[in-house]
Amino acid sequence: QVQLVESGGGLVQAGGSLRLSCAASGRTFSSYVMGWFRQAPGKEREFVASVTGSGRSTYYADSVKGRFTISRDNAKNTVYLQMNSLKSEDTAVYYCAARAYADRDWHSWGQGTQVTVSS
């Protein structure tokens, strides 16, 4: 497993931007698929975006396509989520997660960071 620590959450007005960061421990960071998930009050946690170990392939939920960008810097053991054109419905706790490429299950999770978008 890998230890994950998110940062960068906060309060922003609708239409604004935030960049989340997730710092990972360990020397095998580049071997993990990294993902971002979110959970709004009263709702189940949902997938937001993921990026492969090399960073060449990315995947997004339809609700964030064209507004959010996931990226990673393997030299810094960090994955990012750039969020633009934020909407009130993006308000949630955002979690960083890691899994092995061949696995379906996400085995490591961060503690989460709150993002609140005011309308």
Side-chain angles (χ1 to χ4, degrees):
Q1 291 200 353
V2 61
Q3 302 298 316
L4 303 173
V5 179
E6 302 98 334
S7 61
L11 175 65
V12 63
Q13 288 189 334
S17 298
L18 278 177
R19 188 176 81 155
L20 305 183
S21 299
C22 173
S25 64
R27 293 180 288 180
T28 58
F29 176 73
S30 62
S31 70
Y32 295 119
V33 176
M34 299 299 298
W36 286 97
F37 292 75
R38 66 187 182 186
Q39 187 168 19
K43 294 187 177 181
E44 293 188 354
R45 186 162 53 191
E46 64 176 1
F47 170 80
V48 174
S50 65
V51 59
T52 54
S54 66
R56 284 194 290 267
S57 296
T58 57
Y59 305 89
Y60 297 94
D62 288 343
S63 59
V64 307
K65 278 182 183 176
R67 300 188 299 122
F68 291 11
T69 302
I70 188 171
S71 62
R72 65 191 298 160
D73 185 338
N74 287 340
K76 295 183 178 179
N77 277 19
T78 301
V79 62
Y80 305 97
L81 186 67
Q82 178 67 42
M83 305 185 294
N84 299 329
S85 302
L86 283 161
K87 305 175 182 180
S88 57
E89 51 263 46
D90 294 318
T91 295
V93 178
Y94 283 71
Y95 297 91
C96 174
R99 66 172 176 85
Y101 182 80
D103 292 344
R104 292 177 61 86
D105 294 334
W106 299 83
H107 58 70
S108 298
W109 293 85
Q111 83 288 351
T113 186
Q114 177 70 47
V115 172
T116 303
V117 183
S118 63
S119 56

